[in-house]
Amino acid sequence: MEKENHREIALTQMRNSVQKLGSSTGKYGDPTLMRFLIARSMDSEKAARMFVQWQKWRATMVPNGFIADSEVPDELEPRKIFLQGLTKDGLPLLVIQVRKHFPSKDPLQFKKFVVHLLDKTIASSFRGSEVGNQKLTAILDLRQISHKNVDVRGMITGFQFLQAYYPERLAKLYILHMPRFFVSVWRMVSRFLEKATLEKIVIVTNEEEMKNFVKDIGEEVLPEEYGGQAKLVAVQDVTLPQLEDASR
């Protein structure tokens, strides 16, 4: 009961702080606001600032409410990202095959692509309307990568977007087949990650961890190349009714 009261007080204070900052929480429900509060350790003022910054960013970056395929053709073309349906826990599964990725020559298109992927992945879990607290699970597959696939700036951008604009959306990220040369790259990228993000990342290194990974996700949704029974489905081949609500 005390925890519930604390939650209600924090939500009320956050709504008031957002208003003082000249914005409104009007169309957003408690689950959305709670993501920002959790990301800022239940500090209502910090959460309000984060929320307002997110609103401004969203209005500039995604003025139509979603990023269409036609805005990110170069990033979709290699078919390097897959959207696999829902895991055992009911979370959408995003698979990234890094060997098909090369650092972008168009930084804005890459940023839009990150938004496109995160919005579409989150929206793929909607059953009816958006609740506001849907999370996602991701696999970063580093098998057969070479130095030319390494994109430190791209990885940092992806994580920074997750942390700043998609708080509490990541449930778990599994990193598979990390080659030795990538360890120093990962160390560099890790410096930009918040403790809460790092705690959600699992680097799968042995058979036991691989078994747990397959068990956690579920064989039905996991592609065959990762020990499951599903076929890979490229993100552009997944059709959703609408993406407008992915920001809620």
Side-chain angles (χ1 to χ4, degrees):
M1 192 69 183
E2 196 179 318
K3 195 177 177 185
E4 193 63 30
N5 286 343
H6 177 59
R7 181 178 172 273
E8 289 307 317
I9 290 164
L11 282 164
T12 302
Q13 288 174 338
M14 181 182 168
R15 284 194 184 92
N16 292 339
S17 295
V18 168
Q19 271 189 317
K20 282 178 193 163
L21 291 166
S23 192
S24 164
T25 58
K27 63 175 182 171
Y28 300 100
D30 291 357
T32 297
L33 303 185
M34 277 304 297
R35 287 193 293 107
F36 288 86
L37 278 164
I38 292 165
R40 288 297 172 260
S41 307
M42 299 304 286
D43 183 317
S44 52
E45 285 194 13
K46 285 182 182 174
R49 282 199 296 274
M50 185 186 194
F51 180 79
V52 171
Q53 282 167 353
W54 167 73
Q55 284 181 310
K56 287 175 182 170
W57 169 83
R58 193 90 200 165
T60 309
M61 190 74 179
V62 201
N64 300 323
F66 67 99
I67 305 279
D69 286 17
S70 57
E71 294 181 65
V72 289
D74 301 339
E75 294 297 333
L76 285 171
E77 194 269 328
R79 298 176 78 83
K80 57 191 173 186
I81 314 280
F82 306 87
L83 190 49
Q84 293 301 128
L86 305 182
T87 67
K88 214 161 64 173
D89 295 331
L91 306 178
L93 178 64
L94 184 71
V95 179
I96 303 154
Q97 292 188 339
V98 181
R99 67 181 177 275
K100 297 176 185 173
H101 172 78
F102 300 95
S104 178
K105 294 183 177 73
D106 182 346
L108 179 58
Q109 185 178 151
F110 180 77
K111 286 176 181 175
K112 284 185 174 186
F113 185 57
V114 172
V115 175
H116 172 79
L117 288 180
L118 293 174
D119 281 2
K120 190 166 184 176
T121 303
I122 293 160
S124 73
S125 70
F126 296 173
R127 292 296 172 261
S129 60
E130 153 75 304
V131 177
N133 60 357
Q134 282 93 343
K135 293 178 183 277
L136 64 95
T137 299
I139 296 170
L140 191 67
D141 177 8
L142 300 175
R143 183 173 17 204
Q144 296 173 349
I145 66 164
S146 68
H147 289 276
K148 62 186 177 185
N149 304 117
V150 173
D151 184 4
V152 173
R153 186 180 293 174
M155 285 187 79
I156 291 168
T157 296
F159 280 116
Q160 285 180 333
F161 274 28
L162 257 179
Q163 292 176 162
Y165 307 125
Y166 295 83
E168 293 300 304
R169 287 295 200 187
L170 180 66
K172 198 73 77 82
L173 168 64
Y174 295 92
I175 301 181
L176 307 183
H177 310 298
M178 186 184 286
R180 193 167 291 145
F181 81 83
F182 198 84
V183 173
S184 57
V185 174
W186 179 245
R187 206 170 283 140
M188 194 190 310
V189 171
S190 299
R191 290 188 196 135
F192 293 85
L193 306 192
E194 294 167 5
K195 185 170 173 278
T197 304
L198 285 167
E199 286 170 355
K200 295 168 184 172
I201 297 170
V202 179
I203 300 171
V204 179
T205 57
N206 59 44
E207 213 171 305
E208 190 60 33
E209 288 171 353
M210 195 70 187
K211 274 184 196 165
N212 290 336
F213 155 74
V214 173
K215 197 170 122 193
D216 289 349
I217 288 178
E219 287 185 19
E220 282 180 29
V221 71
L222 194 63
E224 290 167 347
E225 39 267 79
Y226 307 115
Q229 299 166 359
K231 299 287 184 198
L232 282 166
V233 183
V235 68
Q236 56 265 58
D237 295 340
V238 176
T239 308
L240 301 179
Q242 62 179 62
L243 289 179
E244 284 84 342
D245 290 332
S247 70
R248 291 289 291 279

